[in-house]
Amino acid sequence: MNVINQITFSPEELSRYSRHIALPQFGVAAQQKLKAANVLVVGCGGLGSPLLLYLAAAGVGSIGLVDFDRVDESNLQRQVLFDIHDIGEEKAVAAQHKIKALNPHINTRVYAERLTAANAMNIIKEYDVVADGTDNFTTRYLVNDACVLLNKPYVYAAIHQFEGQVSLFNCVNNDGETGPNYRDLFPLPPAPEAVPNCGEAGVLGVLPGIIGSMQALEVIKVITGIGETLSGRLFIFDTLYFQTNIFKIKRNADNPLNGTHPTITQLIDCEPFCNAAAKSIKEITPQQLKDWQQHEAIQLIDVREPYEYEIVNMGAQLIPLNTITNNIATIDRTKKVVLHCKSGSRSLQAIQLLEKEFGFTNLYNLQGGILQYIDEMAPHLTKY
């Protein structure tokens, strides 16, 4: 007998999932597949919130949660899985409590750690489907590469300001053909400053709710086999103008993972690959900044927006990024100049512009921005 057919439900579960079971295209068989499934969710934040809630509500039998971060007040604008009582808690642990309260019939496993090349294979190999809700290219390439090497389908989603996108990678169709993966869509990562994270660029709070729900839908379709998935297609939604587009994605013969001549046969550290464009920029740590401030005269420039400066600042000279070229005369060329923003992306962009267009050679980027400085040197300051 098929293992799926041996899955049974208690009366409470049958009542809970009755609206699923009533669907002619779904029924008991699809619900059994959900209960038998193991899904890994990487990132329990904006996308992870609706994704986890709907997977748990749908009855996915086992859910793994990966997140190394803690709940912050600024998360609550969009990460609806959490509330003010969760501030300061590990996101993965808090998320586990919330989805278990929603559905006690599911199993959960927490990985309150950063996904890296050292642990990704061991974690991902335990799951049937992987859904990525993170906001950085390093993790996306890492998840993609691990899924391809382990033959796991990868449900991808990303958000930026007012726009979101969803796709399904490395999924085998009914004919046994494997669909394209993330490296077919993005052979090379953009420069780090080209696509800042949500903390730098901002994001409409409702957007991850919409896109994360679509991601959950795609996971459910992969598990149950209903409908048509987004394998080979990229769905894009513009919330400002309520416009959608779907683009076709094809396998690339030059893909280093599974192209004609693969060159990646084991998981690699994707951070150098994703940050190659920033290698030439000089960078200092928060501790080095403090040492410099104590022993020599330096100029400290904050390239954030005025409203951010009002929330918290380090006493730096405020020159917002979009005004930097109008303030060249105020930037010293005779001593060390350290630029910082919230997490390092905008200050990196400012330095690249100043070095390329105006010939500066004395600029340094503060690693991790003011957030890392607060974590390491000034925990009494406000984080946002």
Side-chain angles (χ1 to χ4, degrees), residues 107-139:
N107 298 310
T108 58
R109 184 173 180 181
V110 165
Y111 305 89
E113 57 190 296
R114 187 188 297 270
L115 196 71
T116 67
N119 63 17
M121 295 291 279
N122 284 334
I123 293 175
I124 290 174
K125 71 180 182 181
E126 303 294 330
Y127 295 88
D128 305 315
V129 183
V130 180
D132 175 24
T134 59
D135 65 352
N136 66 87
F137 286 94
T138 299
T139 307

Side-chain angles (χ1 to χ4, degrees), residues 158-176:
I159 53 175
H160 178 67
Q161 295 186 330
F162 301 98
E163 183 179 287
Q165 51 187 239
V166 188
S167 190
L168 171 63
F169 297 127
N170 198 53
C171 189
V172 179
N173 64 20
N174 293 331
D175 297 323

Side-chain angles (χ1 to χ4, degrees), residues 331-349:
I331 303 175
D332 202 306
R333 291 179 181 265
T334 64
K335 58 187 177 184
K336 293 175 180 175
V337 178
V338 179
L339 285 77
H340 84 82
C341 58
K342 183 177 181 180
S343 60
S345 175
R346 282 173 286 176
S347 50
L348 173 66
Q349 186 176 354

Side-chain angles (χ1 to χ4, degrees), residues 47-289:
L47 290 167
S49 289
L51 174 58
L52 285 165
L53 285 170
Y54 276 108
L55 292 181
V60 171
S62 296
I63 301 175
L65 305 91
V66 181
D67 202 305
F68 67 93
D69 202 4
R70 292 180 178 271
V71 181
D72 182 78
E73 188 173 24
S74 64
N75 300 149
L76 304 184
Q77 167 254 9
R78 64 201 176 281
Q79 299 182 19
V80 294
L81 193 57
F82 310 115
D83 59 47
I84 58 173
H85 302 100
D86 299 312
I87 293 175
E89 297 296 321
E90 293 180 322
K91 283 185 180 178
V93 175
Q96 179 191 41
H97 293 158
K98 296 300 174 67
I99 64 175
K100 286 290 285 185
L102 173 63
N103 189 349
H105 302 288
I106 64 173
N107 298 310
T108 58
R109 184 173 180 181
V110 165
Y111 305 89
E113 57 190 296
R114 187 188 297 270
L115 196 71
T116 67
N119 63 17
M121 295 291 279
N122 284 334
I123 293 175
I124 290 174
K125 71 180 182 181
E126 303 294 330
Y127 295 88
D128 305 315
V129 183
V130 180
D132 175 24
T134 59
D135 65 352
N136 66 87
F137 286 94
T138 299
T139 307
R140 289 171 189 158
Y141 280 100
L142 182 66
V143 171
N144 176 79
D145 293 1
C147 285
V148 172
L149 293 171
L150 291 168
N151 298 314
K152 308 286 186 179
Y154 163 32
V155 181
Y156 157 80
I159 53 175
H160 178 67
Q161 295 186 330
F162 301 98
E163 183 179 287
Q165 51 187 239
V166 188
S167 190
L168 171 63
F169 297 127
N170 198 53
C171 189
V172 179
N173 64 20
N174 293 331
D175 297 323
E177 299 170 334
T178 302
N181 64 68
Y182 189 73
R183 285 183 182 267
D184 292 313
L185 178 62
F186 297 111
L188 296 173
E193 77 281 1
V195 188
N197 61 30
C198 293
E200 296 283 357
V203 61
L204 185 66
V206 71
L207 175 62
I210 297 168
I211 300 301
S213 297
M214 292 181 176
Q215 201 175 8
L217 170 64
E218 201 67 10
V219 172
I220 291 171
K221 285 160 64 179
V222 171
I223 294 170
T224 61
I226 64 169
E228 183 178 352
T229 69
L230 282 170
S231 180
R233 299 182 295 163
L234 177 69
F235 173 87
I236 297 178
F237 179 41
D238 182 340
T239 60
L240 276 185
Y241 301 100
F242 218 92
Q243 293 180 339
T244 62
N245 289 286
I246 296 180
F247 299 94
K248 290 185 177 180
I249 311 169
K250 294 183 178 180
R251 291 278 300 267
N252 183 353
D254 295 326
N255 190 311
L257 277 167
N258 60 353
T260 306
H261 302 289
T263 56
I264 299 176
T265 57
Q266 60 184 9
L267 202 59
I268 61 173
D269 183 2
C270 295
E271 190 161 354
F273 169 68
C274 292
N275 295 326
K279 283 184 178 178
S280 62
I281 301 300
K282 298 186 289 291
E283 194 170 58
I284 65 166
T285 66
Q287 181 63 60
Q288 287 175 305
L289 173 60

